[in-house]
Amino acid sequence: PARNEVTLNLDLKGFSNVVLRFWAKGPLESYDAPPGTIIYGGADYDGVALSTNGTTWYAFMALNNLGNDFAEFSTNLDQVIARHGLKYTSSFRLRFNQYGDRTRTYHGGTTIDYVTVTGTAPATVSLALPPQAFENQGVLTNAGTVVRTGSVASNAGIALSSAHPATLEVPP
């Protein structure tokens, strides 16, 4: 028997509403259960696990009773990480595991296809300013810009202020 695994490295820091979807089939494959919910390093089992550090893995989906035809699998990862007290990180990992002596689908192994991970990106704000500005020159002709990325549930207000209001005027 052999362990076959593929690990996806994802930057999900600050994401929410994250959903994993994929299709799988595994004719003639016998099911090997994970040794527990928490796995250190790796293990011989059939399923999907996640990790925030690449060392401690949390098995959350079994890949058993797979048939000859593809079936769709979907799970909300927000619920999985909440159950384990975890947060999305910039080095978040998903691992698909298959264990057995049948490593190819036509011999009875497992096939995973059409893997997608979707979610809501965190909202960010960036401020681009001109490289220089001079006193008493009035309104800048090369004005700065404020860019907001990601989605927010409602309108977001951005307050500009100056640490030195006597020397720098910020328009309302």
Side-chain angles (χ1 to χ4, degrees):
R3 180 191 315 165
N4 301 291
E5 53 189 30
V6 62
T7 303
L8 304 176
N9 295 305
L10 305 166
D11 181 355
L12 294 178
K13 186 173 184 175
F15 272 71
S16 60
N17 304 313
V18 178
V19 175
L20 167 66
R21 284 189 177 86
F22 63 93
W23 291 76
K25 68 178 181 176
L28 307 176
E29 181 65 19
S30 61
Y31 174 63
D32 296 288
T37 302
I38 300 175
I39 299 165
Y40 299 99
D44 299 334
Y45 72 99
D46 299 315
V48 186
L50 62 82
S51 176
T52 58
N53 60 19
T55 303
T56 306
W57 294 87
Y58 299 86
F60 64 90
M61 181 182 288
L63 292 178
N64 59 342
N65 298 320
L66 300 177
N68 292 324
D69 297 321
F70 277 104
E72 184 178 19
F73 292 80
S74 178
T75 190
N76 182 319
L77 294 178
D78 291 8
Q79 296 168 358
V80 177
I81 66 168
R83 185 168 51 242
H84 297 290
L86 303 172
K87 293 184 178 184
Y88 294 117
T89 65
S90 58
S91 57
F92 191 83
R93 294 171 178 93
L94 291 170
R95 178 174 285 169
F96 295 87
N97 240 54
Q98 183 269 337
Y99 179 74
D101 57 2
R102 300 172 187 260
T103 57
R104 295 190 176 103
T105 302
Y106 58 85
H107 288 142
T110 300
T111 301
I112 307 289
D113 207 353
Y114 300 106
V115 177
T116 62
V117 179
T118 59
T120 303
T124 61
V125 175
S126 63
L127 178 62
L129 299 173
Q132 59 184 347
F134 298 99
E135 292 183 59
N136 300 319
Q137 295 296 313
V139 176
L140 297 173
T141 56
N142 186 13
T145 58
V146 176
V147 177
R148 183 185 73 188
T149 60
S151 61
V152 291
S154 61
N155 290 337
I158 300 171
L160 300 177
S161 64
S162 171
H164 304 284
T167 58
L168 177 63
E169 180 182 340
V170 178

